[in-house]
Amino acid sequence: MDILSHGLWGSLAFGRRTRRQFWQSFFFGIAPDLFSFGIFFVVALFGFAVFPHFNNGVEPPSTVVIPEYIVQLYNVTHSIIIFAVVFLIVWKLLGKPFLPMYAWGLHILFDIGTHSYAFFPTPFLWPVSHFEVNGIPWSEPIIFIPDIVLLITLYLWFFVYKQQQKAGR
Ligand SMILES: [Zn+2]
């Protein structure tokens, strides 16, 4: 799934109550990609890494040029096991589960189905197992069109619902 969709789904699922919770959920929704590819793009922007070559702008970038430390970061941020451990630590520290963090877990679930073996299949069981699912890439119309339609529909509902709530007060 693209990074913006991840953020929007996270906010919609777990950040509907307050503005603060909305943005916290958005943050956790994009965090797995932000702290892997995001770092790579910043590094590449400053010329410290070779930008991936896009073949005709269609094919996914060759993974060869993506440095090993980015791949490792991707493993860490896209592992359900790492997510569960961090989630439980935060739960212990706060004395209650931190709702916006669920957006991180949701990100991983979405990625499992929307990445194929060709480009960063989701290492969701890392470091215990290297089992990965050969999903349908999110760049395929069968994924991205329903994704956009659903997001727009649900956000419209969400804004109308919020307006009604305000008006009813
Ligand atoms: Zn991701």
Side-chain angles (χ1 to χ4, degrees), residues 8-78:
L8 292 173
W9 279 116
S11 297
L12 198 63
F14 308 111
R16 293 195 306 273
R17 221 171 293 162
T18 63
R19 189 168 292 232
R20 184 191 170 89
Q21 206 181 44
F22 183 94
W23 288 111
Q24 285 171 334
S25 301
F26 188 87
F27 172 77
F28 278 102
I30 65 169
D33 290 346
L34 190 67
F35 293 110
S36 51
F37 288 146
I39 291 175
F40 175 61
F41 279 108
V42 169
V43 168
L45 214 63
F46 287 99
F48 298 120
V50 183
F51 239 112
H53 299 287
F54 289 89
N55 307 323
N56 312 323
V58 179
E59 294 285 304
S62 157
T63 49
V64 179
V65 294
I66 294 176
E68 183 54 32
Y69 69 92
I70 297 294
V71 177
Q72 287 303 326
L73 285 172
Y74 196 84
N75 288 338
V76 171
T77 59
H78 287 75

Side-chain angles (χ1 to χ4, degrees), residues 75-134:
N75 288 338
V76 171
T77 59
H78 287 75
S79 162
I80 285 283
I81 294 164
I82 302 291
F83 159 71
V85 169
V86 177
F87 187 84
L88 289 174
I89 291 170
V90 172
W91 187 339
K92 185 96 185 128
L93 289 174
L94 296 179
K96 59 178 183 195
F98 186 54
L99 194 68
M101 275 187 88
Y102 280 120
W104 177 5
L106 188 68
H107 179 124
I108 300 170
L109 289 182
F110 274 161
D111 269 358
I112 291 173
T114 60
H115 278 257
S116 73
Y117 287 164
F119 185 69
F120 281 84
T122 310
F124 66 103
L125 295 175
W126 186 88
V128 176
S129 160
H130 289 290
F131 176 76
E132 286 158 342
V133 174
N134 193 19

